Amino acid sequence: MGSVSLKIGDGTARFRRTSVCSSAVNLLMLFSVVTTNLFALYAFSSHSNSQTINHPLHHSNNISLVSQHLSLILREIDTSQRKLAQMEKQILGYESIDLSRPNTVPELKLFLNRHQLPLGKDSRTGITEMVSSVGHSCEKSTDLLSQYMSYKKFERCPDDWSLGQKLILRGCEPLPRRRCLAKTVAKQDLRPFPESLWRPVSNKSVNWSGLGCKSFDCLKGKKLTPDCVGCFDLGGSEKDRFVKVKWKNDFLIDDVLGLGSNKIRIGLDISGGGSSGTFAARMAEKNVTVITNTLNNGGPFSEFVAARGVFPLFLSLDHRLPFHDNVFDLVRGSSGLDVEGKAEKLEFLMFDLDRVLKPGGLFWLDNFYCASDVKKKELTRLIERFGYKKLKWVIGEKADGQVYLSAVLQKPVRV
């Protein structure tokens, strides 16, 4: 045995003879290793003492026994890993999508597979592969998701926007459909801005598939959401909203803009998806750009809002708002914020709204329905957590005898 020494200068490696003492130590270590392994082998085969040492099958039996023990250990490890993974899924409340299921369509597999970057690691971001995002709740709706992803690529998409919305409302968001052409509807009789804000929208300008009504006349007078009672009738009471006071909980747009020192430029209207864009239209008349959250709950809200010349955002309230921190001068919310379920659901939403509202910006809580004193107290405590300054705070009843809360709050500067 020997050790390698490198002589710097001539670039050669030479072996140097070791001492007798060093060799003796190495031999002792080798003997110890062999002895330990023999003892372990004897321990595994202790139940076979009745057999003679010179038995011709003794060696093969020992190997077989060791293999069985190793297989048992590996199975136990695998079982433990499965149990831990299942416990994690139960704690988190969701599972990852199993692409090995027989009903998973190829397009969904291709979309969700990881794709390596062609030039390797990106020096700026540090990523080495592209990963497509899809909501974790999609695992609970894999049959619907496979149905939604069953289309002929590069051709027209199925006319099934209602199926996509059903997935969104189940938390399967963002949707993975990409490589097909959405159905087009000729946009007839669209008016130039700002005339478009109050002109009736043609029935032929929207897609009525998946909806009970097939015309705007059918929708007149219907309460589709807490924020939409006949809201598609632009010639009716909808035109008086935000410019005329009907109840003491109603605030005028000019008054709210005055509270913001007339520095309101961009805003976000969160109403649970049931708005026809009237708030955004009124703000547009004041040269304020407002994005309106929409979902087609019983009516073509998204296309209607767009036809009026204002910006619709097709998004559920369970989704994190796709905006950077501290960007909006004004956020308006109504009874659509009253998400069902645990109080934590409302907290998640309210903290996200606070995130996108800039310091000094206004949060306008417009006619929030207080179903009970408990609900009112929970909401009040939640608002107080943010440390907002109360510029306006009104609690009152309407003709239906129900209690509503309206408030204008100013976000503080936090350091």
Side-chain angles (χ1 to χ4, degrees):
M1 300 182 66
S3 59
V4 179
S5 64
L6 180 64
K7 183 178 180 181
I8 301 175
D10 61 1
T12 60
R14 294 189 176 92
F15 287 92
R16 184 175 56 196
R17 188 177 300 278
T18 59
S19 64
V20 175
C21 180
S22 173
S23 299
V25 172
N26 289 332
L27 287 173
L28 181 60
M29 292 177 62
L30 178 61
F31 176 77
S32 299
V33 170
V34 172
T35 303
T36 302
N37 281 277
L38 288 175
F39 178 78
L41 185 61
Y42 173 77
F44 275 113
S45 58
S46 59
H47 69 287
S48 303
N49 289 336
S50 58
Q51 299 179 359
T52 61
I53 298 177
N54 296 325
H55 196 290
L57 297 179
H58 181 73
H59 183 67
S60 60
N61 287 341
N62 284 338
I63 294 177
S64 176
L65 184 61
V66 171
S67 299
Q68 291 177 10
H69 278 279
L70 289 176
S71 298
L72 180 61
I73 293 172
L74 291 175
R75 284 198 300 269
E76 289 292 334
I77 293 174
D78 182 65
T79 301
S80 299
Q81 289 177 339
R82 290 177 182 272
K83 289 181 178 179
L84 287 173
Q86 186 63 34
M87 290 172 61
E88 182 183 25
K89 292 173 185 177
Q90 292 175 353
I91 293 173
L92 295 177
Y94 65 86
E95 301 178 357
S96 59
I97 297 178
D98 184 5
L99 297 181
S100 64
R101 292 183 176 180
N103 62 339
T104 304
V105 295
E107 186 74 357
L108 180 59
K109 292 181 180 180
L110 182 62
F111 178 82
L112 294 179
N113 280 337
R114 299 173 181 267
H115 301 279
Q116 297 295 325
L117 295 180
L119 300 180
K121 183 178 180 180
D122 182 79
S123 59
R124 292 179 299 175
T125 62
I127 63 173
T128 59
E129 57 187 7
M130 297 299 294
V131 182
S132 300
S133 61
V134 67
H136 64 256
S137 294
C138 293
E139 167 66 19
K140 300 178 181 179
S141 305
T142 51
D143 291 338
L144 286 179
L145 185 62
S146 290
Q147 180 183 343
Y148 184 72
M149 292 298 289
S150 298
Y151 56 83
K152 296 181 179 179
K153 60 183 181 181
F154 311 131
E155 297 187 15
R156 293 183 181 181
C157 301
D159 186 13
D160 57 356
W161 67 263
S162 57
L163 174 60
Q165 179 168 286
K166 185 181 295 185
L167 286 166
I168 288 175
L169 293 176
R170 294 185 178 190
C172 185
E173 189 178 25
L175 295 172
R177 179 181 287 179
R178 296 293 186 274
R179 297 193 300 173
C180 64
L181 304 173
K183 178 183 178 179
T184 57
V185 177
K187 303 298 181 180
Q188 301 181 11
D189 303 325
L190 294 183
R191 300 291 181 174
F193 188 87
E195 181 185 351
S196 60
L197 294 175
W198 299 104
R199 294 286 294 188
V201 178
S202 171
N203 291 324
K204 297 181 180 180
S205 297
V206 300
N207 181 11
W208 294 96
S209 66
L211 296 172
C213 285
K214 304 300 179 184
S215 69
F216 289 113
D217 287 336
C218 172
L219 293 173
K220 284 184 179 180
K222 289 191 174 183
K223 183 177 181 180
L224 301 178
T225 69
D227 209 37
C228 178
V229 181
C231 64
F232 289 101
D233 184 10
L234 301 182
S237 60
E238 189 71 8
K239 200 166 186 177
D240 294 334
R241 295 187 66 191
F242 309 110
V243 294
K244 292 184 180 181
V245 174
K246 187 175 182 181
W247 307 101
K248 69 175 185 178
N249 303 70
D250 298 335
F251 299 158
L252 301 180
I253 278 183
D254 287 336
D255 293 342
V256 175
L257 291 178
L259 294 173
S261 303
N262 295 313
K263 295 181 180 179
I264 306 298
R265 304 155 301 149
I266 55 174
L268 176 65
D269 184 16
I270 295 291
S271 56
S275 173
S276 62
T278 295
F279 177 71
R282 285 300 183 194
M283 295 296 277
E285 294 174 336
K286 306 295 182 180
N287 295 319
V288 178
T289 301
V290 170
I291 297 175
T292 303
N293 155 240
T294 62
L295 283 173
N296 294 334
N297 294 324
F301 287 96
S302 299
E303 290 178 282
F304 188 85
V305 170
R308 299 183 70 179
V310 290
F311 195 108
L313 179 66
F314 192 70
L315 191 74
S316 75
L317 297 185
D318 289 325
H319 196 286
R320 187 178 191 266
L321 297 173
F323 305 109
H324 195 59
D325 302 351
N326 308 308
V327 293
F328 288 105
D329 304 311
L330 171 71
V331 172
R332 172 187 172 267
S334 62
S335 290
L337 300 182
D338 189 16
V339 290
E340 297 180 0
K342 297 182 179 180
E344 287 81 1
K345 293 285 287 184
L346 181 59
E347 292 177 1
F348 283 128
L349 176 58
M350 291 291 290
F351 272 87
D352 205 26
L353 293 176
D354 176 80
R355 177 184 63 82
V356 300
L357 182 63
K358 75 172 188 179
L362 302 182
F363 176 56
W364 181 355
L365 188 63
D366 187 13
N367 284 281
F368 184 91
Y369 171 55
C370 300
S372 64
D373 287 339
V374 175
K375 191 71 175 180
K376 182 177 64 176
K377 291 178 181 178
E378 287 179 353
L379 178 62
T380 302
R381 285 196 297 266
L382 177 58
I383 290 175
E384 290 174 348
R385 288 183 180 180
F386 297 107
Y388 287 161
K389 181 180 180 180
K390 294 180 180 179
L391 303 180
K392 291 178 74 73
W393 185 277
V394 178
I395 299 176
E397 293 184 0
K398 291 188 177 182
D400 56 6
Q402 304 297 335
V403 178
Y404 293 83
L405 167 64
S406 292
V408 178
L409 311 165
Q410 187 172 42
K411 179 178 176 177
V413 177
R414 305 186 185 112
V415 293

